[in-house]
Amino acid sequence: METHRTSTRRITGIQPTGHLQLGNLLAAVRPMVAGQHDVHTLAFIADQHALTVDHDPARLAGLTREAAAILLAAGLDPVRCVLFVQSQVPEHAVAHYLLESTATFGESRRMIQFREKAGGQESVRLSLLTYPVLMAADILLYAGVGQDVEVPVGEDQGQHLELVRALGRRFNRRYGLTFALPRGVQPGSGARIMDLAEPGRKMEKTNPATAGVVFVLDPPDVVRRKILRAVTDGDRVVAYDPVTRPGVSNLLDILGCVLGRSATGLAGEYQTYARLKADVADAVVAVLEPLQRRFADISGDPAELARVLAAGSERATALAGPMLAVAQQRMGLLPVAHADAR
Ligand code: AMP
């Protein structure tokens, strides 16, 4: 791995459950790219997490490649960072089982996200219940003793990170000190990008109503249309207050994230919603257009993309493999022996 300013490892996973949207780009991808010189960055496409709900296999494969190409197009350097696809590092699935044998049914069932996603469904995949335990494997495999590991988590993932820490702690107590406990850190600016059509809910790549979701690969005219039609608030005053003015505050948050400025400071510079929307549209298109050009180049050479991902998997395996072997031995599983070894 290249040299970085600190020895901290930062781990981020992106689920290919839909096309990446502006919230992913501004709150997860761009901060990851900006931080890649300071910390050892491990970025993976969490394709196994996308199996927890009904999915289309061909679509999943396409979205996995697309997400990887977007990370590269956004400026992630695959030499400086370890960029890989989760399923291509089978250590994650093996460690998941070890940690399933550390976690309890009760604590998994209590996860708020599980209750929300499973609620009202007739049939729920078992993996939806155990998904936070796979998340623990994704992180703890890179968290050897003495390692400083940080995980950018939004509020909705806070409970899962607590579970990751609880499992690491329990494993250490039961089988001997094996894992460092990861720290949760606020991702990027901390802004939550809200849906443009429904500013009361988070912008999400899985929302079937797409009028309020700006996808990273939306053509510029579509991006402009979605932003110009964004729902704003009744009183026509441009002020930053996410509680009473969620629509306009969201536009200010987006502009603030894109320009690296404070949303409150920007509010004072606008008298009308129309002017603000026009500037947000210009700023977002200015970020997306060059990214989309690089994306077209990268995805135009699928063999090279596959090679970059294979190299990333090899590097992830070199880190995760020895960690997994230690955990397996600590649990009493025999190390793999070779038939010709005497
Ligand atoms: P996900 O789309 O759930 O796979 O999330 C990938 C990353 O993007 C996570 O770090 C999320 O917290 C972040 N993210 C997703 N949607 C938003 C949003 N609307 N606003 C801010 N961050 C987001």
Side-chain angles (χ1 to χ4, degrees):
M1 218 185 272
E2 301 268 303
T3 50
H4 298 81
R5 261 173 235 140
T6 68
S7 60
T8 297
R9 282 183 184 163
R10 182 181 293 164
I11 304 179
T12 305
I14 302 238
Q15 296 185 39
T17 42
H19 302 287
L20 296 203
Q21 39 82 14
L22 192 61
N24 297 128
L25 182 71
L26 297 183
V29 178
R30 285 178 101 212
M32 178 168 29
V33 171
Q36 64 184 332
H37 299 283
D38 295 333
V39 294
H40 294 270
T41 298
L42 289 114
F44 64 97
I45 312 303
D47 56 345
Q48 286 165 310
H49 287 294
L51 303 181
T52 54
V53 288
D54 190 31
H55 76 286
D56 174 65
R59 182 167 186 263
L60 174 60
L63 288 173
T64 300
R65 286 191 201 95
E66 180 182 295
I70 288 177
L71 294 192
L72 293 167
L76 200 78
D77 175 350
V79 174
R80 186 160 272 284
C81 307
V82 182
L83 169 66
F84 63 100
V85 174
Q86 185 186 32
S87 64
Q88 294 184 339
V89 182
E91 281 77 2
H92 287 237
V94 180
H96 179 205
Y97 186 73
L98 304 188
L99 293 167
E100 276 186 333
S101 307
T102 306
T104 67
F105 174 61
E107 68 193 341
S108 299
R109 195 181 42 180
R110 278 197 296 275
M111 293 292 122
I112 296 164
Q113 267 201 12
F114 172 72
R115 295 216 305 267
E116 280 174 4
K117 287 194 182 167
Q121 306 271 352
E122 233 172 65
S123 165
V124 173
R125 292 187 180 175
L126 188 55
S127 55
L128 186 66
L129 175 70
T130 61
Y131 137 83
V133 183
L134 177 56
M135 180 173 153
D138 297 336
I139 298 166
L140 294 176
L141 275 175
Y142 303 95
V145 176
Q147 191 78 52
D148 180 41
V149 175
E150 61 179 42
V151 185
V153 276
E155 302 155 38
D156 45 354
Q157 288 287 330
Q159 194 189 22
H160 292 168
L161 190 71
E162 270 321 301
L163 180 70
V164 174
R165 291 170 56 85
L167 296 182
R169 210 178 286 122
R170 192 176 308 154
F171 190 103
N172 288 344
R173 248 198 332 261
R174 180 73 177 78
Y175 304 110
L177 188 58
T178 307
F179 298 118
L181 302 185
R183 293 180 290 116
V185 293
Q186 184 182 279
S189 67
R192 264 176 113 209
I193 306 301
M194 310 306 278
D195 192 286
L196 296 174
E198 276 180 87
R201 65 177 283 174
K202 207 173 123 178
M203 190 179 284
E204 275 176 316
K205 56 171 130 66
T206 49
N207 187 348
T210 56
V213 182
V214 173
F215 294 102
V216 171
L217 298 180
D218 271 346
D221 58 319
V222 174
V223 173
R224 284 186 194 282
R225 194 169 61 236
K226 287 178 176 174
I227 294 174
L228 297 182
R229 289 188 186 160
V231 168
T232 38
D233 316 297
D235 60 9
R236 316 225 136 261
V237 177
V238 180
Y240 187 75
D241 184 344
V243 177
T244 58
R245 294 190 176 90
V248 76
S249 299
N250 187 37
L251 292 171
L252 289 164
D253 268 332
I254 293 173
L255 192 59
C257 277
V258 173
L259 302 179
R261 295 188 47 197
S262 94
T264 348
L266 284 165
E269 296 174 18
Y270 290 92
Q271 271 74 50
T272 66
Y273 288 167
R275 190 69 249 145
L276 174 62
K277 284 182 174 179
D279 279 7
V280 174
D282 284 347
V284 171
V285 167
V287 168
L288 295 186
E289 263 188 329
L291 188 157
Q292 292 175 357
R293 276 196 296 275
R294 286 191 295 272
F295 174 84
D297 287 346
I298 293 164
S299 49
D301 189 351
E304 173 60 11
L305 178 61
R307 195 200 59 73
V308 167
L309 293 174
S313 300
E314 266 178 34
R315 288 170 61 204
T317 303
L319 298 171
M323 194 69 219
L324 176 65
V326 170
Q328 285 179 308
Q329 265 180 300
R330 294 257 160 94
M331 288 186 94
L333 303 178
L334 299 184
V336 178
H338 295 286
D340 58 358
R342 295 273 187 279

